[in-house]
Amino acid sequence: MAISRYWAGKVFGTNVGHTFVELNGDDSELSGKLRFNDSVAGVIVFKVQGAFNDGTLKLSGEVLDNTLTSAQGQLSVSATLMADGNLQGHWETTSEAGGTLVLFPHGNGEPAEKKEPQAEQMYTVRHQFGPVQLEREDIVLLVENMQAGFKNAKVVISLVQGTEQALYLENFKKLAPSSPRPSIVKLYAREPDVGGIDKIVTVEFGPMSNFAMTQGAVESWALGELEKIKRDVSGFERFFVTKKFYSVSFNQLLFLGAIVALPSLDGIYKRATLIGAVLALTLLLVKLHDAYLPNASIRLNPKPESKFWKFLSGPAISWAMAIVAGTIATTLAAYLGGYFNLAAVLPPSN
């Protein structure tokens, strides 16, 4: 089953207290018990049934005969899976009681691996990726590899398509092929670690930045998990000329070339013209890359693109832009330096 079996949390509203939910069965046909420790009435046990669809858990049920039955009524619960893996929503009964609730996953009941207690110290590691091109199967691969590092929690996939939708991998695979292309994809997993510190992995691809962050009480785990993610993502990175290569980008090289050519030019006018033109070209390259070569290109269409098309629609265009910009800058520098007569190569005017 996709949804975790055990959930614990708090209930607010007309009744306040702690709650514990145990679920069994498949996502489409869940059953189990909801135990609610009311601050006034004590423990009340509901027999519930429902389903988990499209990131939303809906349950309904009634009080068991061996608990309070007189004034509780039928129970209805609706909660949405959030990006951090928790469930948040509301509850109500036919006796006009109601309020909100929050539930936290507690794995599937398997015994956790025994670890020696350690000092409470947090290790956080972060890495910034370059531009990426991702398809549905690439995201599935990343999530499956991330899931291997978590035994008692599931990786949550968040898609930002105007609104943000949080899904488990099983539901992500069922998304319609015609789904719009998300602007941001977030992968998130969290579970308790030693020393009272949670271990967390966050991966995000979007228009502003692509990054991965790992955090945990064990330094070797945080470093190793990040290296694993870097290895997995490296196959989806694309080299654009605006990206730094060994700490130097094409724009920087273009500007450096203009500086080298300046001593060969006579007069402040020619030098200012060359520097101004190169500066305009570098800004134009950045604008064109932002408009036509996004920092994160994400496709949910299950039909993968060929490697040739990926190159043609990404790095090839980037390099073509760079060649054109470099040719313009070189031609202008040569003309200002008097190395050729532009009028000689242009057709005569009538």
Side-chain angles (χ1 to χ4, degrees):
M1 126 181 119
I3 191 171
S4 295
R5 181 180 180 185
Y6 297 127
W7 296 81
K10 294 206 67 174
V11 169
F12 308 92
T14 57
N15 300 69
V16 179
H18 296 279
T19 186
F20 178 72
V21 182
E22 179 182 352
L23 300 174
N24 298 289
D26 298 325
D27 283 357
S28 59
E29 192 173 350
L30 296 170
S31 62
K33 293 181 180 179
L34 186 151
R35 295 176 173 88
F36 172 50
N37 187 11
D38 187 278
S39 57
V40 176
V43 177
I44 306 172
V45 183
F46 290 87
K47 182 180 180 181
V48 295
Q49 57 277 331
F52 179 71
N53 293 316
D54 298 328
T56 299
L57 174 66
K58 291 188 176 181
L59 300 174
S60 62
E62 57 185 9
V63 177
L64 287 178
D65 293 339
N66 58 349
T67 60
L68 299 176
T69 60
S70 57
Q72 302 305 321
Q74 295 285 330
L75 171 70
S76 297
V77 175
S78 179
T80 301
L81 180 69
M82 309 305 291
D84 58 4
N86 301 330
L87 287 170
Q88 295 185 21
H90 66 275
W91 65 276
E92 60 182 10
T93 68
T94 53
S95 61
E96 300 302 326
T100 61
L101 80 164
V102 58
L103 299 173
F104 305 93
H106 282 257
N108 292 319
E110 297 87 354
E113 180 183 355
K114 293 183 178 180
K115 300 180 180 179
E116 295 296 327
Q118 297 184 5
E120 293 189 4
Q121 184 172 355
M122 182 185 301
Y123 296 93
T124 303
V125 193
R126 185 184 177 95
H127 178 76
Q128 193 80 21
F129 298 107
V132 297
Q133 287 180 291
L134 291 169
E135 297 173 0
R136 181 192 297 250
E137 62 178 10
D138 302 328
I139 298 173
V140 170
L141 177 62
L142 290 175
V143 173
E144 289 176 343
N145 290 342
M146 279 180 59
Q147 188 62 65
F150 294 85
K151 296 182 178 180
N152 299 311
K154 286 184 175 291
V155 178
V156 178
I157 306 170
S158 296
L159 306 177
V160 179
Q161 302 165 321
T163 59
E164 184 169 346
Q165 181 182 15
L167 301 167
Y168 286 138
L169 180 59
E170 291 81 357
N171 292 324
F172 174 76
K173 292 179 179 179
K174 299 176 183 177
L175 283 179
S178 59
S179 298
R181 298 178 64 165
S183 58
I184 300 175
V185 171
K186 303 176 186 177
L187 310 179
Y188 182 88
R190 177 175 186 166
E191 74 178 10
D193 202 2
V194 296
I197 296 177
D198 290 348
K199 61 180 183 181
I200 302 172
V201 173
T202 302
V203 181
E204 181 173 325
F205 304 107
M208 301 303 297
S209 65
N210 304 314
F211 71 91
M213 186 273 292
T214 60
Q215 176 181 296
V218 181
E219 183 179 16
S220 59
W221 180 89
L223 292 171
E225 198 70 16
L226 184 68
E227 288 300 319
K228 185 176 70 172
I229 295 172
K230 287 167 59 177
R231 178 198 62 200
D232 294 339
V233 176
S234 63
F236 312 129
E237 286 189 279
R238 297 294 176 261
F239 181 75
F240 296 161
V241 295
T242 53
K243 174 188 173 183
K244 290 186 176 181
F245 185 67
Y246 289 106
S247 301
V248 180
S249 69
F250 176 81
N251 285 351
Q252 292 171 325
L253 291 176
L254 193 64
F255 202 78
L256 180 62
I259 295 176
V260 172
L262 285 181
S264 64
L265 302 181
D266 297 328
I268 189 67
Y269 172 76
K270 291 184 178 180
R271 295 177 180 179
T273 299
L274 179 60
I275 289 295
V278 170
L279 182 60
L281 286 172
T282 57
L283 293 176
L284 180 61
L285 273 178
V286 173
K287 291 291 185 181
L288 289 175
H289 276 75
D290 290 343
Y292 300 104
L293 298 174
N295 186 58
S297 176
I298 304 164
R299 297 173 67 252
L300 297 184
N301 191 320
K303 183 179 180 181
E305 291 182 336
S306 66
K307 292 184 178 180
F308 174 76
W309 178 250
K310 284 184 178 181
F311 175 78
L312 189 63
S313 62
I317 297 177
S318 179
W319 281 102
M321 292 179 183
I323 292 172
V324 172
T327 301
I328 294 174
T330 303
T331 303
L332 179 62
Y335 171 71
L336 294 175
Y339 292 101
F340 68 88
N341 186 0
L342 189 61
V345 299
L346 294 176
S349 59
N350 295 327

